[in-house]
Amino acid sequence: MRTRRVTISVANGLHARPVAELARLALDSAHPVTIAGASGAVVDLSSILAVMELGFAAGDQVTLTTPEHAEADALLNDLVAVLDPQRDHAGTAGS
């Protein structure tokens, strides 16, 4: 599994627009992607309602996970860019 931990910096937390972008990226992938918060709840990132129900706010730390595959790092980098748009995403290989 490939993972990324990121602190949400997008203004107003995960409201409709960034969640829709995350879901679009997840749906465009042939592989599942999950998001988990400090509470331990894990949801499929392609489910807009499930992600919205977690109520992530700016400053919350989340973990993104996807299986090992050729595009895993690029997918995770794109997802992190939505959650933390001011971060330098070059060379952010995860575990």
Side-chain angles (χ1 to χ4, degrees):
M1 296 297 258
R2 302 294 292 170
T3 63
R4 290 285 193 301
R5 287 181 191 83
V6 61
T7 300
I8 297 170
S9 71
V10 68
N12 301 320
L14 288 189
H15 55 87
R17 185 171 291 138
V19 171
E21 179 62 11
L22 292 171
R24 183 192 65 76
L25 290 166
L27 288 167
D28 285 349
S29 173
H31 305 278
V33 184
T34 60
I35 187 168
S39 71
V42 178
V43 300
D44 185 331
L45 198 56
S46 66
S47 173
I48 291 173
L49 289 177
V51 176
M52 294 287 290
E53 285 179 356
L54 294 177
F56 292 126
D60 288 348
Q61 188 172 46
V62 298
T63 302
L64 301 164
T65 305
T66 192
E68 292 283 345
H69 57 89
E71 296 82 29
D73 286 329
L75 172 60
L76 291 172
N77 287 343
D78 289 345
L79 295 168
V80 168
V82 173
L83 295 169
D84 189 7
Q86 297 165 346
R87 180 175 171 179
D88 176 15
H89 303 288
T92 57
S95 55

